């Protein structure tokens, strides 16, 4: 984490709101929940609760990732959504810009992950003690030395997409933890939660909420 935390001060962008759930577009550079210490108190849930006092946390996005994030507005909705994330019933789609161009048009990364303890919060691939992690990916467009991909995580491990892309030789652009050299010289982490599909806590109907990548 950088010593200076100066999150963007953009107004809250509401993507969907009803009696049970609230979906917002999280800006890159803003923590999902408070960090340790008063200087890391500004975060998305605090901003959301200022406008929606009943909002409850369901999941998180990394500080530098932008895009769709869901909050529950009732304890029932929080339990219902929490189970969907736990049982992998939600469908998440991300857009990423990566260094290099994959040789194939699509593929799957199936590599177990664990925290790299001396270098936390970095994660690493470990076949002995790592937890199972799978990501499907598809090339949207090749662009010079980089490519735009759509990523479909099947599991929700910490830094999963970032480590999986690094593992196949295509680190996500602007990644402060895993990118190096020219791949690091971008104004932000080029990773965006584009779409979330879930079953509505009231009645179970499938709902899809999306927001376009700002890069």
């Amino acid at each position: 984490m950088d010593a200076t935390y100066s999150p963007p001060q953009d107004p809250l962008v509401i993507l969907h709101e009803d009696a049970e759930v609230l979906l917002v577009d999280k800006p890159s550079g803003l923590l999902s929940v408070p960090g340790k210490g008063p200087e890391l108190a500004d975060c998305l849930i605090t901003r959301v609760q200022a406008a929606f006092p009943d909002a409850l946390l369901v999941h998180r996005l990394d500080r530098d990732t932008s895009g769709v994030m869901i909050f529950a507005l009732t304890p029932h909705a929080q339990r219902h959504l929490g189970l969907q994330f736990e049982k992998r019933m939600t469908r998440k789609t991300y857009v990423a810009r990566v260094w290099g161009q994959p040789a194939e048009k699509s593929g799957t990364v199936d590599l177990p992950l664990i925290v790299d303890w001396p270098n936390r919060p970095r994660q690493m691939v470990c076949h002995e003690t790592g937890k199972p992690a799978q990501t499907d990916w598809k090339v949207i467009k090749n662009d010079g030395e980089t490519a735009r991909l759509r990523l479909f995580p099947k599991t929700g491990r910490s830094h999963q997409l970032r480590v999986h892309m690094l593992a196949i030789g295509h680190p996500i652009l602007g990644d402060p933890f895993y990118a190096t050299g020219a791949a690091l010289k971008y104004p932000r982490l080029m990773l965006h939660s584009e779409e979330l599909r879930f079953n509505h806590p009231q009645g179970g109907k499938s709902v899809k909420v999306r927001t376009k990548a700002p890069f």
Side-chain angles (χ1 to χ4, degrees), residues 120-141:
R120 60 190 186 279
R122 283 176 60 103
Q123 309 288 313
M124 63 182 185
V125 173
C126 181
H127 293 280
E128 284 72 48
T129 53
K131 293 180 176 174
Q134 296 90 29
T135 304
D136 290 337
W137 58 269
K138 191 167 142 190
V139 175
I140 305 170
K141 184 183 169 194

Side-chain angles (χ1 to χ4, degrees), residues 8-14 25 27 44 47:
Q9 297 302 316
D10 315 14
L12 208 56
V13 178
I14 310 295
D25 190 351
L44 187 57
R47 294 183 185 188

Side-chain angles (χ1 to χ4, degrees), residues 89 153 168 201:
M89 293 162 67
I168 62 169

Side-chain angles (χ1 to χ4, degrees), residues 16-58:
H16 173 93
E17 177 200 347
D18 60 42
E20 296 280 335
V21 298
L22 173 74
L23 287 98
V24 303
D25 190 351
K26 182 183 108 49
S28 174
L30 178 66
L31 290 165
S32 292
V33 297
K36 288 178 180 159
E39 72 283 3
L40 300 176
D42 186 11
C43 62
L44 187 57
I45 187 148
T46 307
R47 294 183 185 188
V48 165
Q49 286 172 340
F52 302 87
D54 296 331
L56 299 162
L57 190 72
V58 174

